[in-house]
């Protein structure tokens, strides 16, 4: 933190007051004059041909202003693959897919109208298991996959249910296995997981007399949503405006469109503002989940514990539509061999359609699934070799200048330090206290690496008014992760202001500059760099004015406390005395502009996955856990977690600590309890009564460890990203601790008491026989 006034200080978040007092207004708090309410009629079939849709009874209902079906909405969308209709037309592909929608003067009337819609179906063969879906004889969910328009990321396999593939080929993996003293192979699975953000998806759409479409949405990408709506509807980009009010969480689940298409087609039909807001049951059964996964890993090692080769086969269940699945596959698979220096790597990944609710990004972009697999697998190898799991990792971990699976010589790496600190904080080498009767205690550790892929662009505009306050125009999304606080810290640091002197605006595509999407932990790095560039542009303008007033060279000035000072501090002038006064009396505002683009990213070779600069930046971390297992019930109680994260440089120190602690809590539920349960494609636990998540009373002690040993050369002040990687190693650390405590290994999440109890019984039976 040397030399900084604001950067790295533990200041409160800039948006905390409004959220704590209830002053913050979300989409469901908004009311547009003439607004009506939309509701969705959803498919009850997992795969069927629509033979008849009868909405005649609804059209005659008092209070109903519009009813739409697929015939009214001949539009498809998809950022990766254009495979999803606004409203199903000929075929439904999952239970919960929109088949029709109603707009009415109130929600009660709209709900009642849904009861009068009559739809007839012709059932089609369905497939629900992702491994069955890849078989040659599996029912095809998208027979026309080969003709769909797609972006540059997906690599589909027409004539199958594989919507995208990914591969890495480094070295000679078979030769590596042949040179190894031991070869180990294990299979791991994860279930579909819910986002559980506080605010369900909601949007308002309005079409004005000029034909301009305005959408209020809690989207993670206002400009991307604008682009998708423009392209899908075939209307000019400048005829689509997206306004983003504050919203209650995203975690990847509000990328890119969910309720917006329904609101838009209803607004186009009735020419009135329409709000569509999902309830929790709709969120769970018809929005987006994390991809369920099946990952098989094979690793060759020497007798003394050096990893020579690793082969990974990963299959992700993307549900009925691609959504952002191909990108999740790529971003997860790109680091599926782990944060290790392995000379021979072979990775195959497949993103596969099934007749279930579509999957998408969920705080980690595929990395949690891969980390669960490779860190459980790595621990298993250490125990088989009789090596300490920490020492085994440190023997193989990638370090500065090492070559990763993509053939990149990595920089700015402190994962070894993360492992050391996570182990130290959990007391890895300290004597262990005796376990209580009927209980067993253990410790576990896991490390991880995550990519922020890129390339991406962020633009920030700053407006300094004559009162000395700055308004930052930003289109990156504040969804609870603290982005506005980061931007305010950076601008205040550069201009010598208080953080309270910087106000960050909500995105509005008519007024805030371009930033495509807030995902992949990119905002601090990209938007932070743009904010710093904009502040320096503004600083240069202010310095030029102050230098003339003070009679000193511009490059000798410094900024502090809202003033511009000479180098020795003998003279100064307040920023407020420069604008609107004297020679500059006509100057009421200064504008600074900044842009950052990670255009240094070199695309991966499609056949080998090799690149000298495959991503915008890498993130590294390690977490450790201490658990207590009830030997009779199998219940796992996490006593303590330590989370060491390589942040490069903490911009908001308090924000980093909160992200680490919050992310670990997020991952604890997914490690121990959470799973979306299906029966023939239907979600059977679609509420928080049946889908249990961690709360404050369930949370153990969590020790955040901020590692600043390897600041990034291109990050703002050396900062990297943080928001997603905090969720990735938790499950493996806990599972490894359970093994340490009991000697039983669980390879499929979550680590429920039933699974642990059954494993304990099986181990006991095996011992006695």
């Amino acid at each position: 933190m040397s030399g900084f006034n604001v950067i790295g200080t533990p200041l409160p978040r800039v948006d905390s007051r409004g959220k704590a007092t209830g002053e913050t207004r979300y989409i469901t708090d908004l009311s547009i004059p003439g607004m009506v309410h939309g509701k969705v009629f959803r498919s009850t079939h997992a795969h069927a041909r629509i033979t008849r849709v009868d909405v005649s009874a609804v059209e005659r209902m008092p209070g109903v202003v519009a009813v739409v079906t697929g015939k009214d909405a001949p539009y498809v969308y998809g950022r990766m693959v254009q495979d999803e209709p606004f409203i199903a037309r000929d075929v439904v592909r999952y239970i919960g897919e929109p088949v029709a929608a109603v707009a009415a003067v109130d929600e009660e009337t709209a709900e009642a109208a849904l009861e009068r819609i009559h739809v007839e179906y012709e059932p089609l063969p369905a497939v629900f298991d992702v491994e069955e879906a890849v078989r040659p004889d599996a029912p095809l969910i998208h027979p026309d996959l080969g003709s769909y328009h797609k972006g540059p990321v997906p690599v589909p396999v027409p004539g199958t249910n594989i919507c995208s593939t990914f591969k890495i080929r480094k070295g000679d993996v078979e030769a590596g296995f042949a040179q190894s003293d031991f070869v180990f192979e294990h299979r791991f699975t994860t279930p579909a997981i819910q986002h559980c953000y506080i605010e369900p998806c909601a949007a308002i759409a309005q079409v004005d007399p000029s034909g301009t479409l305005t959408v209020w949405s809690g989207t993670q990408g206002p400009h991307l949503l604008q682009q998708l709506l423009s392209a899908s509807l075939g209307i000019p980009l400048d005829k689509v405006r997206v306004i983003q009010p504050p919203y209650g969480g995203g975690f990847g689940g509000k990328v890119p469109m969910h309720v917006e298409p329904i609101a838009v087609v209803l607004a186009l039909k009735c020419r009135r503002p329409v709000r569509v807001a999902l309830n929790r049951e709709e969120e769970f059964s018809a929005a987006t989940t994390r991809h369920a996964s099946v990952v098989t890993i094979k690793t060759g090692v020497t007798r003394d514990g050096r990893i020579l080769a690793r082969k990974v086969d990963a299959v992700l269940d993307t549900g009925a539509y691609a959504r952002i699945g191909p990108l999740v596959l790529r971003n997860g698979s790109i680091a599926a061999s782990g944060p290790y220096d392995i000379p021979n790597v072979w990775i195959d990944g497949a993103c596969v359609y099934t007749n279930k609710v579509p999957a998408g990004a969920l705080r980690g972009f595929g990395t949690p699934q891969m980390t669960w697999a490779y860190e459980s697998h790595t621990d298993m190898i250490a125990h088989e070799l009789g090596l300490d799991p920490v020492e085994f990792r440190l023997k193989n971990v990638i370090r500065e200048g090492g070559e990763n699976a993509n053939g990149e010589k990595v920089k700015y790496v402190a994962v070894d330090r993360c492992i050391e600190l996570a182990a130290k904080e959990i007391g890895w080498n300290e004597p262990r206290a005796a376990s209580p009767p009927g209980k067993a205690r253990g410790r576990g550790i896991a490390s991880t690496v995550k990519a922020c892929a890129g390339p991406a662009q962020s633009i920030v505009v700053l407006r300094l008014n004559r009162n000395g306050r700055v308004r930052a125009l930003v289109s990156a999304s504040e969804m609870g992760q603290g982005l506005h606080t980061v931007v305010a810290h950076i601008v205040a640091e550069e201009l010598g202001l208080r953080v309270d002197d910087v106000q960050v605006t909500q995105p509005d595509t008519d007024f805030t500059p371009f930033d495509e999407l807030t995902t992949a932990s990119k905002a601090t790095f990209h938007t932070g760099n743009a904010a710093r560039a904009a502040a320096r542009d503004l600083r240069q303008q202010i310095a030029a004015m102050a230098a003339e007033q003070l009679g000193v060279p511009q490059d000798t000035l410094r900024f502090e406390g809202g003033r511009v000072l000479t180098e020795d501090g003998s003279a100064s002038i307040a920023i407020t005395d420069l604008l609107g006064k004297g020679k500059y009396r006509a100057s009421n505002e200064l504008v600074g502009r900044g842009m950052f683009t990670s255009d240094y990213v070199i695309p991966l070779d499609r056949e080998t996955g090799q690149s000298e600069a495959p991503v915008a930046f890498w993130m590294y971390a390690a977490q450790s856990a201490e658990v207590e297992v009830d030997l009779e019930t199998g219940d796992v109680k996490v006593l303590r977690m330590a989370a060491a994260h390589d942040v490069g440089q903490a911009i908001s120190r308090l924000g980093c600590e909160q992200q680490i602690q919050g992310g670990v809590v997020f991952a604890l539920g997914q490690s121990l309890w959470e799973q979306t349960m299906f029966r023939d494609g239907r979600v059977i636990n679609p509420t928080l009564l049946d889908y249990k998540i961690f709360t404050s009373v369930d949370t153990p002690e969590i020790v955040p460890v901020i590692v600043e040993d390897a600041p990034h050369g291109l990050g703002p002040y050396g900062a990297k990203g943080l928001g997603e990687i905090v969720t990735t190693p938790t499950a493996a650390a806990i599972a490894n601790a359970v093994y340490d405590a009991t000697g039983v290994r669980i390879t499929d999440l979550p680590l429920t008491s039933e699974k642990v109890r059954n494993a304990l019984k099986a181990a006991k039976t095996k011992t006695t026989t």
Side-chain angles (χ1 to χ4, degrees):
M1 299 197 319
S2 176
F4 295 136
N5 294 315
V6 178
I7 298 299
T9 55
L11 298 174
R13 289 173 49 137
V14 299
D15 58 348
S16 57
R17 175 183 169 84
K19 292 179 177 178
T21 61
E23 296 170 12
T24 301
R25 300 183 70 214
Y26 300 91
I27 289 180
T28 50
D29 296 316
L30 303 181
S31 181
I32 311 299
M35 186 177 75
V36 293
H37 302 269
K39 292 291 179 180
V40 182
F41 181 92
R42 301 184 181 278
S43 170
T44 55
H45 289 257
H47 198 197
R49 186 168 287 107
I50 301 171
T51 59
R52 182 167 175 261
V53 180
D54 184 359
V55 296
S56 57
V58 177
E59 293 172 330
R60 297 190 297 269
M61 282 184 64
V64 171
V65 298
V67 56
V68 293
T69 68
K71 292 181 179 179
D72 302 292
Y75 315 117
V76 294
Y77 70 99
R79 185 186 177 209
M80 296 287 111
V81 181
Q82 289 188 7
D83 59 356
E84 187 165 5
F86 276 29
I87 299 175
R89 293 198 296 277
D90 302 315
V91 175
V92 291
R93 295 180 173 90
Y94 70 97
I95 294 173
E97 183 166 6
V99 176
V102 174
V105 293
D106 54 51
E107 292 187 64
E108 292 75 18
T109 302
E111 289 278 9
L114 297 182
E115 300 294 326
R116 300 196 184 186
I117 296 175
H118 179 70
V119 180
E120 295 178 2
Y121 303 91
E122 178 187 316
L124 296 171
V127 59
F128 307 115
D129 182 272
V130 71
E131 291 180 292
E132 291 181 6
V134 297
R135 294 175 181 169
D137 59 347
L140 287 184
I141 299 170
H142 290 274
D144 299 323
L145 175 60
S147 65
Y148 291 163
H149 179 77
K150 62 181 180 62
V153 173
V155 185
V157 183
T160 75
N161 288 317
I162 301 173
C163 82
S164 191
T165 59
F166 179 86
K167 58 186 176 182
I168 288 177
R169 303 290 187 266
K170 176 192 174 186
D172 186 336
V173 74
E174 293 302 327
F177 288 142
Q179 296 165 12
S180 300
D181 295 312
F182 303 98
V183 176
F184 301 93
E185 184 171 357
H186 303 107
R187 179 179 182 273
F188 304 89
T189 66
T190 64
I193 294 293
Q194 299 291 340
H195 293 76
C196 296
Y197 29 65
I198 294 175
E199 181 193 25
C201 290
I204 300 171
Q206 179 182 37
V207 182
D208 70 16
S210 73
T212 297
L213 171 65
T214 301
V215 177
W216 292 260
S217 170
T219 173
Q220 290 179 231
H223 282 275
L224 176 60
L225 177 58
Q226 179 193 36
Q227 292 171 351
L228 290 172
L229 288 172
S230 169
S232 297
L233 298 170
I235 60 178
L237 195 66
D238 63 331
K239 285 290 188 178
V240 181
R241 178 185 182 187
V242 177
I243 301 171
Q244 183 206 83
Y247 65 105
F251 308 124
K254 295 176 180 175
V255 178
M257 294 202 296
H258 296 311
V259 295
E260 295 86 357
I262 303 296
V264 166
V265 294
L266 285 169
L268 288 170
K269 183 76 175 285
C270 69
R271 295 288 162 165
R272 293 175 64 173
V274 180
R275 180 168 66 202
V276 178
L278 300 187
N279 58 38
R280 186 63 62 182
E281 187 168 339
E282 288 178 300
E283 277 286 350
F284 276 29
S285 59
T288 305
T289 69
R290 173 181 283 170
H291 291 79
S293 70
V294 179
V295 181
T296 302
I297 305 186
K298 182 179 180 181
T299 297
V301 295
T302 61
R303 200 174 305 277
D304 64 349
R306 182 73 178 94
I307 301 176
L308 298 183
R310 178 163 281 181
K311 189 173 186 178
V312 182
D313 183 79
V315 182
L316 300 185
D317 183 346
T318 205
Y321 295 102
R323 299 268 171 99
I324 207 165
L327 195 58
V328 173
L329 176 72
R330 186 196 73 177
N331 289 5
S333 299
I334 197 172
S337 58
Y340 301 110
D341 196 339
I342 304 174
N344 306 291
V345 177
W346 177 297
I347 296 173
D348 276 324
C351 188
V352 180
Y353 290 120
T354 62
N355 290 114
K356 292 189 290 191
V357 57
L362 200 172
R363 204 169 183 179
F365 262 91
T367 308
Q369 297 95 313
M370 305 302 174
T371 303
W372 159 247
Y374 66 66
E375 279 303 272
S376 296
H377 175 70
T378 297
D379 219 64
M380 294 164 80
I381 295 172
H383 285 291
E384 287 287 341
L385 296 177
L387 299 176
D388 179 273
V390 169
E391 294 305 319
F392 179 54
R393 285 174 170 82
L394 290 174
K395 180 186 285 285
N396 291 284
V397 76
I398 198 161
R399 301 173 191 270
E400 192 77 13
E403 187 176 280
N404 63 18
N406 308 108
E408 175 191 16
K409 302 290 185 182
V410 296
K411 303 177 185 177
Y412 322 120
V413 185
V415 64
D416 54 341
R417 186 66 175 146
C418 291
I419 294 171
E420 292 167 350
L421 290 174
K424 179 181 177 182
E425 285 294 335
I426 210 68
W428 190 265
N429 293 317
E430 296 175 8
R432 306 193 181 195
S435 299
K439 308 289 179 66
R441 290 187 176 183
R443 296 168 182 161
I445 195 164
S447 56
T448 187
V449 56
K450 186 192 176 297
C452 176
Q457 181 188 59
S458 293
I459 303 172
V460 171
V461 173
L462 303 178
R463 299 172 59 186
L464 172 70
N465 64 35
R466 60 193 299 172
N467 293 326
R469 293 176 61 83
V470 175
R471 181 182 295 270
L473 306 183
V474 175
S475 285
S477 297
E478 170 60 75
M479 64 187 97
Q481 83 278 37
L483 173 66
H484 285 186
T485 300
V486 166
V487 170
H489 273 62
I490 290 172
V491 174
E493 179 70 39
E494 291 294 328
L495 298 179
L497 300 174
R498 300 174 306 153
V499 170
D500 289 346
D501 290 328
V502 183
Q503 180 186 2
V504 186
T505 62
Q506 288 295 130
D508 180 335
T509 57
D510 268 10
F511 300 103
T512 55
F514 181 82
D515 201 308
E516 183 186 46
L517 194 60
T518 306
T519 56
S521 304
K522 81 177 188 67
T524 292
F525 193 90
H526 289 79
T527 308
N529 267 322
R532 191 182 191 191
R536 289 186 168 182
D537 180 24
L538 199 54
R539 178 185 175 114
Q540 188 173 20
Q541 297 175 55
I542 298 168
M545 299 166 70
E548 186 174 349
Q549 293 285 86
L550 297 172
V552 297
Q554 182 176 330
D555 59 3
T556 64
L557 296 173
R558 55 191 176 91
F559 287 59
E560 185 178 330
R563 304 184 69 83
V564 185
L565 297 83
T566 57
E567 191 171 19
D568 60 4
S570 60
S572 68
I573 186 169
I575 292 176
T576 53
D577 288 336
L578 290 172
L579 290 177
K581 297 180 181 178
K583 180 179 178 179
Y584 303 102
R585 61 185 178 275
S587 299
N588 286 283
E589 181 177 83
L590 294 179
V591 178
R593 298 172 178 82
M595 181 179 72
F596 178 79
T597 305
S598 51
D599 51 8
Y600 50 84
V601 173
I602 301 173
L604 296 165
D605 183 277
R606 185 151 282 193
E607 294 302 315
T608 66
Q610 301 298 288
S611 169
E612 294 178 1
V615 301
F617 62 92
W618 294 99
M619 293 161 272
Y620 303 93
Q623 292 180 10
S624 55
E626 183 175 9
V627 306
E628 181 179 273
V629 182
D630 188 309
L631 297 175
E632 182 178 355
T633 66
D635 182 62
V636 178
K637 181 179 181 181
V638 179
L639 303 175
R640 193 165 184 262
M641 294 287 305
H645 287 264
D646 172 12
V647 304
Q649 166 65 54
I651 302 292
S652 166
R653 185 160 297 273
L654 181 60
C656 287
E657 292 175 352
Q658 291 171 335
Q659 276 281 27
I660 292 171
Q661 291 173 323
V664 171
V665 173
F666 193 88
L668 280 166
Q670 297 166 4
S671 304
L672 297 174
W673 299 338
E674 295 183 45
Q675 56 184 322
T676 305
M677 303 174 71
F678 294 89
R679 182 179 296 137
D680 296 329
R682 184 184 303 278
V683 177
I684 60 174
N685 59 335
T687 73
L688 290 171
L689 290 174
D690 304 306
Y691 185 98
K692 192 176 181 184
I693 63 174
F694 254 59
T695 67
S696 58
V697 298
D698 305 304
T699 302
E701 179 188 4
I702 301 169
V703 181
V705 182
I706 297 174
V707 179
E708 298 174 293
D709 293 42
H712 199 287
L714 298 177
Y717 311 102
K720 305 172 187 177
L722 177 62
E724 293 178 308
I725 195 171
V726 291
T727 70
T728 63
T730 313
I734 295 170
N736 295 339
V738 169
Y739 178 84
D740 183 57
T742 66
V744 301
R745 176 66 64 175
I746 308 298
T747 58
D748 56 318
L749 285 179
L751 302 164
T752 62
S753 57
E754 181 182 12
K755 290 178 186 176
V756 176
R757 182 174 66 251
N758 290 340
L760 288 168
K761 287 181 179 179
K764 187 176 181 179
T765 301
K766 184 177 180 181
T767 301
T768 57
T769 57

